[in-house]
Amino acid sequence: MSIFDFAAGTDTASEAGAVCSRKACRAAASWQLLWNNPKIHTPERRKTWLACADHREWLEDYLQTRGLWKETRPLAAGDGERLEQDI
């Protein structure tokens, strides 16, 4: 994929559904990382980042280092569309 494809909106990963939350990554997501910031969210609230296989560890480490990570789950078919509405 080139920059021209991205600008034209022909990003195949985003057309297929959920995309990795890592900056500049346009790969299809296969994991959901659940987190919350206890300073601003209620304990039961869960925010979601999506991760591809390559960036799962990096994103988990980022959240864990800051005390925000709660859980990592596989992204099931159909979850991506629901999560995109929640984000």
Side-chain angles (χ1 to χ4, degrees):
M1 178 172 80
S2 73
I3 185 98
F4 301 109
D5 292 333
F6 182 74
T10 56
D11 181 3
T12 56
S14 63
E15 288 173 10
V19 177
C20 181
S21 297
R22 176 75 163 106
K23 185 177 181 179
C25 182
R26 305 307 301 161
S30 53
W31 296 96
Q32 48 184 324
L33 286 71
L34 306 178
W35 63 278
N36 85 353
N37 184 339
K39 292 180 181 179
I40 60 173
H41 300 128
T42 59
E44 65 278 356
R45 172 93 188 261
R46 293 294 180 265
K47 302 286 283 179
T48 304
W49 278 357
L50 302 177
C52 65
D54 291 341
H55 293 120
R56 175 187 170 189
E57 284 185 40
W58 191 95
L59 290 166
E60 269 183 4
D61 183 58
Y62 182 91
L63 292 169
Q64 288 174 349
T65 299
R66 289 154 181 80
L68 306 176
W69 179 84
K70 299 299 179 193
E71 182 181 4
T72 298
R73 298 181 189 166
L75 183 64
D79 283 347
E81 289 79 23
R82 181 186 56 78
L83 291 171
E84 287 173 354
Q85 295 171 0
D86 293 343
I87 295 177

